[in-house]
Amino acid sequence: QTVVTQEPSFSVSPGGTVTLTCGLSSGSVSASYYPSWYQQTPGQAPRTLIYNTDTRSSGVPGRFSGSILGNKAALTITGAQADDESYYYCVLCVDGGISVFGGGTKLTVL
Amino acid sequence: EVQLLESGGGLVQPGGSLRLSCAASGFTFSTYAMSWVRQAPGKGLEWVSVISGDAVTTYYADSVKGRFTISRDSSKNTLYLQVNSLRAEDTAIYYCVWLRFHYHGMDVWGQGTTVTVSS
Protein backbone atom coordinates (compact mmCIF):
# COMPACT_ATOMS: atom_id res chain seq x y z
CA GLN A 1 0.00 0.00 0.00
CA THR A 2 1.68 3.18 -1.22
CA VAL A 3 1.24 6.18 1.06
CA VAL A 4 1.93 9.68 -0.23
CA THR A 5 2.84 12.10 2.52
CA GLN A 6 2.20 15.84 2.81
CA GLU A 7 2.46 18.28 5.67
CA PRO A 8 -1.02 18.52 7.26
CA SER A 9 -0.72 22.27 7.64
CA PHE A 10 1.60 25.15 6.94
CA SER A 11 1.50 28.89 7.36
CA VAL A 12 3.14 31.71 5.47
CA SER A 13 3.16 35.46 5.81
CA PRO A 14 1.79 37.61 3.00
CA GLY A 15 4.60 38.19 0.52
CA GLY A 16 6.59 35.31 1.92
CA THR A 17 7.79 32.10 0.34
CA VAL A 18 6.65 28.63 1.31
CA THR A 19 7.60 25.17 0.06
CA LEU A 20 5.17 22.30 0.45
CA THR A 21 6.46 18.78 -0.04
CA CYS A 22 5.15 15.46 -1.31
CA GLY A 23 6.92 12.29 -0.29
CA LEU A 24 6.55 8.54 -0.13
CA SER A 25 6.21 6.51 3.04
CA SER A 26 8.99 4.36 1.67
CA GLY A 27 11.31 5.45 -1.08
CA SER A 28 12.14 8.64 -2.89
CA VAL A 29 10.04 10.70 -5.26
CA SER A 30 11.61 11.34 -8.65
CA ALA A 31 10.37 12.85 -11.89
CA SER A 32 9.35 9.35 -12.99
CA TYR A 33 6.44 9.61 -10.56
CA TYR A 34 5.17 12.59 -12.60
CA PRO A 35 4.15 14.63 -9.56
CA SER A 36 1.28 17.06 -9.97
CA TRP A 37 -0.14 19.70 -7.64
CA TYR A 38 -3.67 20.97 -7.13
CA GLN A 39 -5.22 23.84 -5.21
CA GLN A 40 -8.69 23.56 -3.72
CA THR A 41 -10.81 25.97 -1.75
CA PRO A 42 -13.83 24.61 0.13
CA GLY A 43 -16.85 24.05 -2.08
CA GLN A 44 -14.87 24.30 -5.30
CA ALA A 45 -13.45 21.77 -7.70
CA PRO A 46 -9.68 21.35 -7.60
CA ARG A 47 -7.58 23.61 -9.80
CA THR A 48 -4.43 22.23 -11.43
CA LEU A 49 -1.28 24.17 -10.63
CA ILE A 50 1.59 21.94 -11.74
CA TYR A 51 1.91 18.70 -13.70
CA ASN A 52 4.91 16.64 -14.78
CA THR A 53 6.96 17.90 -11.80
CA ASP A 54 7.41 21.49 -12.94
CA THR A 55 5.05 22.45 -15.76
CA ARG A 56 2.53 25.11 -14.84
CA SER A 57 -1.00 24.55 -16.02
CA SER A 58 -2.62 27.14 -18.24
CA GLY A 59 -3.24 30.43 -16.47
CA VAL A 60 -1.28 29.60 -13.33
CA PRO A 61 0.80 32.53 -12.08
CA GLY A 62 4.56 32.27 -12.10
CA ARG A 63 4.74 32.49 -8.31
CA PHE A 64 3.83 28.79 -8.25
CA SER A 65 6.67 26.46 -9.17
CA GLY A 66 7.29 22.74 -8.91
CA SER A 67 10.49 20.79 -8.44
CA ILE A 68 12.16 17.77 -6.89
CA LEU A 69 13.91 18.67 -3.65
CA GLY A 70 15.99 15.88 -2.22
CA ASN A 71 13.74 12.83 -2.10
CA LYS A 72 10.43 14.67 -2.40
CA ALA A 73 8.40 16.64 -4.90
CA ALA A 74 7.96 20.25 -3.91
CA LEU A 75 5.57 23.11 -4.60
CA THR A 76 6.97 26.54 -3.91
CA ILE A 77 4.83 29.65 -3.66
CA THR A 78 6.85 32.85 -3.92
CA GLY A 79 5.24 36.08 -2.80
CA ALA A 80 2.24 34.46 -1.16
CA GLN A 81 -1.06 36.27 -1.43
CA ALA A 82 -4.16 36.12 0.73
CA ASP A 83 -6.09 34.16 -1.87
CA ASP A 84 -3.42 31.45 -1.83
CA GLU A 85 -4.96 30.30 1.44
CA SER A 86 -6.28 26.90 0.35
CA TYR A 87 -5.76 23.18 0.51
CA TYR A 88 -2.97 21.84 -1.67
CA TYR A 89 -2.84 18.25 -2.90
CA CYS A 90 -0.12 16.36 -4.69
CA VAL A 91 -0.56 13.17 -6.69
CA LEU A 92 2.01 10.63 -7.80
CA CYS A 93 1.77 8.04 -10.55
CA VAL A 94 3.07 5.11 -8.52
CA ASP A 95 2.53 1.96 -10.57
CA GLY A 96 1.73 1.90 -14.26
CA GLY A 97 -1.58 3.70 -14.41
CA ILE A 98 -2.22 3.81 -10.66
CA SER A 99 -2.12 7.23 -8.99
CA VAL A 100 -2.20 8.10 -5.32
CA PHE A 101 -3.01 11.47 -3.77
CA GLY A 102 -1.38 12.83 -0.68
CA GLY A 103 -3.56 13.76 2.25
CA GLY A 104 -3.33 17.46 1.45
CA THR A 105 -1.81 20.51 3.13
CA LYS A 106 -3.91 23.29 4.56
CA LEU A 107 -2.05 26.52 3.85
CA THR A 108 -2.81 29.54 5.95
CA VAL A 109 -1.66 33.00 4.89
CA LEU A 110 -1.34 35.27 7.91
CA GLU B 1 -10.94 24.70 -24.38
CA VAL B 2 -11.46 21.38 -22.59
CA GLN B 3 -14.78 21.27 -20.78
CA LEU B 4 -16.21 18.47 -18.65
CA LEU B 5 -19.72 18.13 -17.26
CA GLU B 6 -20.60 15.34 -14.87
CA SER B 7 -24.08 14.00 -14.16
CA GLY B 8 -25.80 10.96 -12.73
CA GLY B 9 -25.17 11.40 -9.03
CA GLY B 10 -27.89 11.03 -6.44
CA LEU B 11 -29.09 9.32 -3.29
CA VAL B 12 -28.86 5.54 -3.35
CA GLN B 13 -29.29 2.82 -0.75
CA PRO B 14 -26.39 0.66 0.39
CA GLY B 15 -25.85 -2.11 -2.11
CA GLY B 16 -27.35 -0.04 -4.91
CA SER B 17 -25.91 1.13 -8.22
CA LEU B 18 -25.54 4.28 -10.27
CA ARG B 19 -23.97 5.24 -13.58
CA LEU B 20 -22.08 8.49 -13.57
CA SER B 21 -21.51 10.31 -16.84
CA CYS B 22 -19.06 12.98 -17.96
CA ALA B 23 -19.77 14.84 -21.18
CA ALA B 24 -16.54 16.13 -22.71
CA SER B 25 -15.83 18.79 -25.30
CA GLY B 26 -12.98 20.85 -26.68
CA PHE B 27 -10.60 18.04 -27.59
CA THR B 28 -10.35 14.86 -29.66
CA PHE B 29 -11.98 12.54 -27.15
CA SER B 30 -10.42 9.25 -28.22
CA THR B 31 -6.89 10.66 -28.00
CA TYR B 32 -6.71 11.33 -24.28
CA ALA B 33 -6.92 9.26 -21.12
CA MET B 34 -9.54 10.23 -18.57
CA SER B 35 -9.88 9.67 -14.84
CA TRP B 36 -12.37 9.75 -12.00
CA VAL B 37 -11.35 11.24 -8.67
CA ARG B 38 -13.60 11.44 -5.63
CA GLN B 39 -13.76 13.41 -2.42
CA ALA B 40 -15.69 12.27 0.62
CA PRO B 41 -17.25 14.99 2.80
CA GLY B 42 -14.53 16.82 4.71
CA LYS B 43 -11.81 14.56 3.33
CA GLY B 44 -9.05 14.78 0.75
CA LEU B 45 -8.95 13.74 -2.88
CA GLU B 46 -8.91 10.04 -3.75
CA TRP B 47 -7.93 8.74 -7.19
CA VAL B 48 -10.51 6.19 -8.35
CA SER B 49 -9.80 5.03 -11.89
CA VAL B 50 -8.26 5.83 -15.28
CA ILE B 51 -9.03 4.70 -18.82
CA SER B 52 -6.84 5.01 -21.87
CA GLY B 53 -7.93 7.05 -24.87
CA ASP B 54 -8.63 3.91 -26.88
CA ALA B 55 -10.59 2.40 -23.96
CA VAL B 56 -8.39 -0.70 -24.01
CA THR B 57 -6.65 -0.24 -20.67
CA THR B 58 -8.14 0.58 -17.29
CA TYR B 59 -6.81 0.83 -13.76
CA TYR B 60 -8.64 1.06 -10.43
CA ALA B 61 -7.94 1.95 -6.84
CA ASP B 62 -8.05 -1.07 -4.55
CA SER B 63 -10.97 0.48 -2.68
CA VAL B 64 -13.25 0.21 -5.72
CA LYS B 65 -11.80 -2.70 -7.71
CA GLY B 66 -14.46 -5.24 -8.59
CA ARG B 67 -17.31 -2.83 -7.82
CA PHE B 68 -16.70 0.12 -10.16
CA THR B 69 -16.24 0.02 -13.94
CA ILE B 70 -14.88 2.88 -16.02
CA SER B 71 -15.76 3.10 -19.70
CA ARG B 72 -16.05 5.63 -22.51
CA ASP B 73 -18.06 6.13 -25.69
CA SER B 74 -16.20 8.09 -28.35
CA SER B 75 -19.32 8.44 -30.48
CA LYS B 76 -20.88 10.43 -27.64
CA ASN B 77 -17.71 12.04 -26.23
CA THR B 78 -18.75 10.69 -22.85
CA LEU B 79 -16.91 9.05 -19.97
CA TYR B 80 -18.76 6.76 -17.59
CA LEU B 81 -18.33 5.25 -14.16
CA GLN B 82 -20.62 2.38 -13.26
CA VAL B 83 -20.70 2.14 -9.48
CA ASN B 84 -22.14 -1.03 -7.98
CA SER B 85 -22.46 -2.54 -4.51
CA LEU B 86 -22.32 0.93 -3.03
CA ARG B 87 -21.28 1.45 0.57
CA ALA B 88 -21.61 4.40 2.91
CA GLU B 89 -17.91 5.12 2.44
CA ASP B 90 -18.50 5.67 -1.29
CA THR B 91 -20.41 8.86 -0.43
CA ALA B 92 -18.45 11.60 -2.17
CA ILE B 93 -18.26 14.16 -4.91
CA TYR B 94 -17.05 12.39 -8.04
CA TYR B 95 -14.91 14.47 -10.42
CA CYS B 96 -14.16 13.68 -14.03
CA VAL B 97 -10.62 14.70 -15.03
CA TRP B 98 -8.86 15.11 -18.38
CA LEU B 99 -5.29 13.88 -18.58
CA ARG B 100 -2.62 15.57 -20.65
CA PHE B 101 -0.54 12.41 -20.95
CA HIS B 102 -0.99 8.66 -21.10
CA TYR B 103 -1.73 8.00 -17.41
CA HIS B 104 -0.52 11.13 -15.70
CA GLY B 105 -0.93 14.87 -15.92
CA MET B 106 -4.48 15.21 -14.61
CA ASP B 107 -5.21 18.75 -15.71
CA VAL B 108 -8.80 19.83 -16.40
CA TRP B 109 -11.50 19.01 -13.83
CA GLY B 110 -15.25 18.95 -14.04
CA GLN B 111 -17.41 20.46 -11.33
CA GLY B 112 -18.32 17.07 -9.92
CA THR B 113 -21.44 15.06 -9.23
CA THR B 114 -22.48 14.02 -5.73
CA VAL B 115 -23.19 10.44 -4.73
CA THR B 116 -24.82 9.84 -1.36
CA VAL B 117 -25.16 6.29 -0.08
CA SER B 118 -27.65 6.07 2.74
CA SER B 119 -30.70 4.13 3.81
Side-chain angles (χ1 to χ4, degrees):
Chain A
Q1 181 82 0
T2 301
V3 177
V4 176
T5 61
Q6 294 185 248
E7 299 87 358
S9 62
F10 229 115
S11 63
V12 61
S13 300
T17 296
V18 62
T19 297
L20 311 182
T21 68
C22 177
L24 285 168
S25 54
S26 61
S28 298
V29 176
S30 65
S32 63
Y33 284 89
Y34 305 106
S36 298
W37 292 90
Y38 306 91
Q39 178 191 52
Q40 188 183 35
T41 53
Q44 300 294 316
R47 170 199 182 196
T48 302
L49 297 174
I50 301 286
Y51 58 88
N52 238 12
T53 304
D54 57 8
T55 304
R56 274 187 294 277
S57 186
S58 176
V60 174
R63 66 176 186 276
F64 293 94
S65 62
S67 64
I68 299 291
L69 284 181
N71 63 349
K72 295 182 178 182
L75 173 71
T76 299
I77 307 173
T78 304
Q81 300 180 0
D83 60 4
D84 294 336
E85 185 162 296
S86 291
Y87 288 86
Y88 291 85
Y89 296 93
C90 70
V91 69
L92 303 177
C93 192
V94 300
D95 181 14
I98 305 290
S99 291
V100 178
F101 279 93
T105 297
K106 182 179 181 181
L107 180 67
T108 301
V109 180
L110 51 73
Chain B
E1 178 190 6
V2 173
Q3 292 189 323
L4 305 170
L5 183 62
E6 302 95 333
S7 62
L11 174 64
V12 61
Q13 293 187 337
S17 298
L18 283 174
R19 189 175 78 159
L20 310 183
S21 299
C22 172
S25 62
F27 64 102
T28 304
F29 187 71
S30 60
T31 299
Y32 293 90
M34 300 283 293
S35 271
W36 288 97
V37 173
R38 69 183 180 181
Q39 186 170 36
K43 303 296 185 182
L45 301 174
E46 181 186 12
W47 179 85
V48 172
S49 183
V50 66
I51 185 169
S52 59
D54 61 8
V56 170
T57 305
T58 59
Y59 293 92
Y60 298 91
D62 286 345
S63 58
V64 307
K65 200 175 296 181
R67 300 187 300 121
F68 290 11
T69 302
I70 192 171
S71 63
R72 60 195 299 163
D73 185 340
S74 292
S75 69
K76 297 180 178 180
N77 282 7
T78 301
L79 175 73
Y80 300 102
L81 187 68
Q82 179 69 39
V83 296
N84 297 332
S85 304
L86 283 164
R87 308 165 180 166
E89 54 266 36
D90 297 316
T91 294
I93 299 172
Y94 285 74
Y95 295 103
C96 164
V97 193
W98 175 78
L99 276 68
R100 281 194 171 272
F101 304 104
H102 204 39
Y103 293 122
H104 63 94
M106 288 185 285
D107 194 359
V108 179
W109 297 66
Q111 284 303 301
T113 187
T114 299
V115 173
T116 303
V117 184
S118 174
S119 55

